């Protein structure tokens, strides 16, 4: 028995259902890249513990996966036993009524609440307290930057992070000295600012009664900062995950990117592997902390193999060794606190110039609020992005844009 399996077997033996242990069963899992890499890592390890269990993985592109799962929940057809859900869709799926409530028996997932990052469980809950997913990874927000380009411009990490205003001013120096954009898109500033420093129980777009909260100071500041960056010419007007975006990293045109800690893995694995040693990670500007993504696994009500599905989900989410495997394999920051406290967190990251950045991400994870999600969050995000585009490209007045966004969202989500 190898070093991985011994502690895992001991931990799991107490929690396995007799059915999952004894029956031959095939579990269907629906996921998306890069989260699917965790499933691929888990399959051979899980099968050594349960040779009677086959695991069939279907992986679609991020948007295609969530569209397919939305349709499957609505029609009841083509549902997997284990469904991956990104944080951006958890509110919508939670309100669909098509997912098992993991807080109730036989799952009783609330027993694990104190074992995972505190902000994850509220994200997995519907407004009625139905828990539709177990958190498998989290995305503490981080600012990644190219140290070599900043050095050339005489800009320090402190200049970048002192305040949001100093971040924009640093971009002007950087652009003048190197020609590189400070950030891919000014929209990135809005995206992280509206998520930063929320209080426990607050939502990004809605209050507890479901009323939109878009026309407020938080969104106004986010829009003002994005507009300042666009007017300064320090963003490339490039959307994330586009071909231009990946080329921008490869051609040294993008000097910083704010995203979840998991971006380090994407940079290293495919976005900019040739820039190894040139990137660094820092906390967000202005002392802000926010969650940027995170993933969950749930069980549809019409799944065919619920007991086995739940056993596999527990293996992925509550087993320290499996969480570390995923952390090591593709920088999926673990939701499990026990994994966050592993010595692996203290190891230097070669891609980031030997920086012990995981320690920094752990600090950020501990400061993120337990915010609420709403099934209409994707609708609100779409409306807000359209109004920000009007501000950035057509010079629409920010006050008018936010008032229009507030009214449009209220109209579209009448409850």
């Amino acid at each position: 028995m190898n070093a991985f399996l011994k502690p895992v077997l001991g931990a799991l033996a107490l929690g396995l259902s007799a059915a999952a242990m004894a029956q031959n069963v095939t579990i269907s899992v629906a996921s998306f890249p890069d989260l699917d890499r965790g499933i691929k890592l888990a399959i051979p390890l899980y099968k050594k513990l349960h040779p009677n269990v086959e695991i069939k993985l279907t992986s679609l592109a991020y948007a295609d996966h969530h569209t397919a799962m939305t349709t499957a929940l609505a029609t009841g057809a083509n549902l997997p036993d284990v469904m991956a859900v990104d944080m951006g869709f958890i509110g919508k799926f939670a309100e669909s009524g098509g997912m098992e409530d993991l807080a109730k028996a036989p799952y009783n997932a609330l027993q694990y609440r104190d074992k995972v990052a505190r902000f994850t469980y509220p994200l997995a809950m519907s407004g009625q307290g139905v828990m539709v997913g177990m958190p498998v990874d989290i995305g503490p927000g981080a600012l990644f930057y190219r140290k070599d380009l900043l050095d050339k411009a005489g800009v320090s990490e402190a200049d970048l992070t002192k305040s949001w205003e100093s971040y924009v001013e640093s971009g002007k120096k950087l652009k003048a000295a190197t020609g590189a954009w400070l950030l891919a898109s000014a929209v990135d500033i809005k995206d992280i600012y509206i998520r930063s420093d929320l209080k426990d129980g607050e939502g990004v777009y809605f209050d507890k009664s479901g009323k939109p909260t878009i026309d407020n100071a938080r969104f106004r500041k986010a829009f003002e900062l994005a507009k300042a960056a666009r007017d300064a010419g320090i963003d490339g007007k490039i959307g994330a995950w586009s071909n231009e975006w990946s080329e921008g990293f490869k051609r040294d045109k993008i000097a910083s990117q704010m995203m979840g800690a998991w971006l380090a893995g994407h940079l290293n694995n495919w976005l900019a592997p040739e820039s190894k040693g040139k990137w660094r990670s820092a906390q967000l500007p202005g002392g802000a902390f926010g969650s940027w993504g995170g993933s969950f696994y749930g069980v549809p009500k019409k799944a065919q193999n619920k007991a086995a599905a739940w056993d596999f989900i527990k293996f992925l989410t509550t087993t320290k060794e499996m969480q570390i495997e995923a952390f090591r394999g593709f920088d999926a920051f673990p939701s499990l606190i026990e994994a966050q406290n592993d010595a692996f967190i203290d190891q230097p990251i070669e891609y980031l110039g030997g920086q012990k950045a995981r320690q920094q991400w752990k600090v950020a994870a501990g400061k993120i609020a337990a915010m609420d999600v709403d099934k209409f969050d994707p609708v609100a995000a779409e409306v807000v992005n359209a109004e920000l585009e009007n501000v950035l490209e057509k010079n629409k007045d920010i006050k008018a844009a936010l008032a229009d966004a507030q009214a449009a969202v209220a109209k579209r989500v009448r409850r």
Side-chain angles (χ1 to χ4, degrees), residues 4-5 8-9 12 38 41-47 49-50 309-323:
F4 176 90
L5 290 176
V8 172
L9 183 58
L12 292 179
L41 286 170
I43 287 175
L45 301 170
Y46 189 78
K47 279 185 64 63
L49 298 167
H50 309 294
W310 176 236
D311 197 71
F312 185 56
I313 289 174
K314 285 194 296 180
F315 179 78
L316 294 168
T317 60
T318 66
T319 310
K320 175 186 171 184
E321 290 75 14
M322 188 59 239
Q323 290 259 293

Side-chain angles (χ1 to χ4, degrees), residues 126-393:
S126 73
Q128 290 72 44
V130 175
M131 182 179 176
V132 298
M134 273 293 288
V136 65
D137 63 40
I138 60 176
L143 169 62
F144 294 92
Y145 68 90
R146 279 282 299 268
K147 186 176 185 305
D148 57 325
L149 295 178
L150 263 63
D151 286 347
K152 193 177 293 184
V155 175
S156 68
E157 180 179 305
D159 294 330
L160 278 187
T161 60
K162 185 168 59 179
S163 67
W164 288 100
E165 288 76 13
S166 70
Y167 177 70
V168 173
E169 287 302 312
S170 297
K172 296 176 183 177
K173 294 180 183 177
L174 177 87
K175 183 73 183 297
T178 69
W181 300 301
L182 178 62
L183 67 170
S185 172
V187 178
D188 293 350
I189 296 181
K190 180 271 296 178
D191 282 342
I192 194 65
Y193 193 88
I194 63 174
R195 288 170 173 76
S196 301
D197 298 333
L198 292 171
K199 296 182 177 62
D200 286 357
E202 276 191 297
V204 175
Y205 300 100
F206 298 94
D207 64 17
K208 284 190 176 298
S209 68
K211 181 182 176 183
T213 56
I214 296 166
D215 191 6
N216 65 16
R218 176 164 50 93
F219 277 84
R220 188 157 51 252
K221 182 69 174 179
F223 272 46
E224 288 171 354
L225 289 167
K227 182 74 165 102
R230 177 61 54 85
D231 289 349
I234 61 171
D235 79 313
K237 303 182 182 180
I238 298 170
W241 311 111
S242 64
N243 289 334
E244 279 185 293
W245 188 64
S246 57
E247 283 301 307
F249 291 119
K250 290 180 174 65
R251 298 183 181 183
D252 303 333
K253 296 297 292 182
I254 300 173
S256 78
Q257 181 69 55
M258 290 177 283
M259 274 194 175
W262 40 262
L263 183 66
H266 289 282
L267 288 167
N268 185 27
N269 292 329
W270 63 279
L271 280 173
E274 67 283 358
S275 298
K276 181 178 179 180
K278 297 178 180 178
W279 284 88
R280 298 289 187 275
S281 175
Q283 300 289 13
L284 296 169
F289 296 96
S291 173
W292 197 290
S295 310
F296 301 79
Y297 279 112
V299 182
K301 283 184 176 177
K302 294 186 178 179
Q304 299 298 307
N305 302 292
K306 295 179 186 177
W310 176 236
D311 197 71
F312 185 56
I313 289 174
K314 285 194 296 180
F315 179 78
L316 294 168
T317 60
T318 66
T319 310
K320 175 186 171 184
E321 290 75 14
M322 188 59 239
Q323 290 259 293
I324 293 295
E325 283 289 298
F327 201 5
R328 196 187 307 275
F330 60 107
D331 282 310
F333 199 89
S335 56
L336 193 68
I337 292 172
E338 186 182 8
Q340 293 179 17
N341 291 329
D342 188 86
F344 181 67
I345 211 93
D346 300 320
Q347 292 184 11
I349 301 176
E350 194 176 354
Y351 185 81
L352 298 177
Q355 189 181 16
K356 296 181 179 179
R358 298 184 186 96
Q359 296 175 340
Q360 178 190 106
W361 304 333
K362 179 182 173 184
V363 170
K367 293 180 178 292
I368 296 171
M371 66 181 187
D372 281 353
V373 295
D374 190 286
K375 65 177 178 180
F376 291 117
D377 281 350
V379 174
E382 178 187 335
V383 171
V384 167
N385 282 336
E387 285 297 336
L388 178 58
E389 190 69 11
N390 286 335
V391 170
L392 297 179
E393 290 298 314

